[in-house]
Amino acid sequence: MDFDLILDEIGEFGKFQLLNYLLICLPVFYAAANSLSYVFTARNPNYRCFIDQCDDYQKTKYETDWVKDVVPGTISQVSGHFTPENCLKYEFSLQTNLTFPLVNGTCDAHWFSHDTVRCNQWMFEEGETTIVNEWPNELTCSENQWKLALIGSIHFAGIMIGSGIFGFLADCYGRKKIFIIAIIFMSITGVGQAVSTSYLMFAIFALLNAIGTSGVYPLAFVLGVEMVGKNKREMSGVVLNYFYSVGEALVGIIAWLDGNWRSLQYWVSVPPIAFIVYHWVIPESARWLIAKKRNRKALKIISRAAKNNGVELSQSILDSFNNDVGDDGVKTADNDEGEANTGHHVRLSDYIAVAKSKVIAVRCLILFFIWGTNAFVFYGLSLNSVNLSGNIYLNFILGCLIEIPGNSIAWIIMNKIGRRLSLTSSLLLCGVTCIAGGFVPEKIFWVQILLFLVGKMAITSSFAIVFVYSAEMIPTIVRSGGVGAFSTFSRLGALLAPFVPLLKFVFNFLPLLIFGVFAFLSGLLAFLLPETLGKKLPDTISEAEMI
């Protein structure tokens, strides 16, 4: 039974698909927010040593005129702004009977020697609180920076674990059911982060939240791409990314307006619990039901779609459901329960059969590398946006919103020049801009920001293309698991991304240089993949090999 022919009759993207597609997109908005909330909840805020002789927690602020006289630091060549050391201060040397602190608007430099000592109390900049403010004894100073980067790696480790699990479960038990479970699990564990009482508790919930988040986008994508015709597949993938980009930007907006990390986590985690109503609202993938020989349920959904789209199913379509038989020659149209019970146990053989295909195996190896590079560079640039000069919130928001034109370009060029050339050109452009951006002098930082935005737009375009491109090369019987496997492997790259910005302390240009080299190499490898534009979505292994 050819589902693409059914879609040609009921409409590739009618009223039924439009409504359900929009419903599927909404959870992605919050999945994106949960995916990047750690950028601000686990960010290293501005802080300096608390000066016992001069500071008062109730009256003194982080920035005062006398700070540069009592705390070592650096002065920016561009802005002239003084940045104090986080955990060092000058040693107090004045012998006096005065009672401290002397909060009178000054702190005399003559009270201190030029010898530095470490401190164990800190004064944080106003307007922003992160987990560093919450547990300063565990997270302050350079020796603890890895703990903040570790939260990002823990997040992507959870994404890596969950992507494969949810993809496999969706192939076994259905897209819809597992999609809803992932959303609810993401919501509950996100709230768990907000109520954490220790760094360890926060890290554990960050891992669990990532596992839940990992199932939302891939399953939304698979649900979307399987309900539309071949001429609308790229649209379904790209528009989904619009919601993802706005969800990311939402994190920066909330953090800008309300700098409290717990509030931010509540905002992105509590609303998704409402999506539990999807159990009664959205349909299962009819394409998956047909692949599983659960034709009676598939026919109900297709009939409803035809009715909503104002189309009457032809007798030939109805006959195809009534006459469809399995590989063993047994009629399956009325055997939903039997297929439901046995289908879970045949999935492993499907994956083994795909792995034995040399053609598909080589393509998958290339795609694994490209997916890993995409995630490595995409999230690496997102994290690096708060290290650029200027307003960190604005830089982050712009870095997220630039994904919208990136996705739009992907949508256009995928149809104009094909999937392969689109993917290659996007990766090569990202590689060139990242490498160039790494060597831009600090005095013309606006050029670096411009190159950063172009690079982020290009890698976004690449990510949008590779989702559609990969799905078009994987047969229906393992498509959700296949996309889930690619997504899982990509998190290996994302897992390393939080630590790459720390390499700026070795050489300032090193992070962007590394991102650029990997993107450029992936662009060259993409030339080896086949073109899928306008081709039928493969349902079997042989159809996939013939592309």
Side-chain angles (χ1 to χ4, degrees), residues 347-362 364-365 368 474-475 477-478 541 545:
R347 303 313 306 169
L348 183 59
S349 63
D350 292 335
Y351 286 104
I352 293 174
V354 170
K356 287 181 178 179
S357 169
K358 293 182 179 179
V359 174
I360 298 178
V362 171
C364 286
L365 287 175
F368 275 128
I474 302 297
I477 54 174
V478 293
I541 295 172
E545 290 175 330

Side-chain angles (χ1 to χ4, degrees), residues 195-230:
V195 300
S196 295
T197 56
S198 69
Y199 171 79
L200 179 60
M201 181 178 176
F202 180 86
I204 291 172
F205 273 112
L207 176 67
L208 296 175
N209 177 254
I211 291 174
T213 302
S214 68
V216 179
Y217 181 93
L219 293 183
F221 172 80
V222 171
L223 276 166
V225 80
E226 289 188 345
M227 72 166 60
V228 302
K230 63 183 179 181

Side-chain angles (χ1 to χ4, degrees), residues 283-301:
E284 179 56 270
S285 167
R287 187 185 290 270
W288 176 82
L289 289 170
I290 291 173
K292 297 286 288 185
K293 305 298 182 182
R294 301 175 67 174
N295 298 335
R296 187 169 56 195
K297 291 184 178 179
L299 180 58
K300 290 180 181 178
I301 294 171

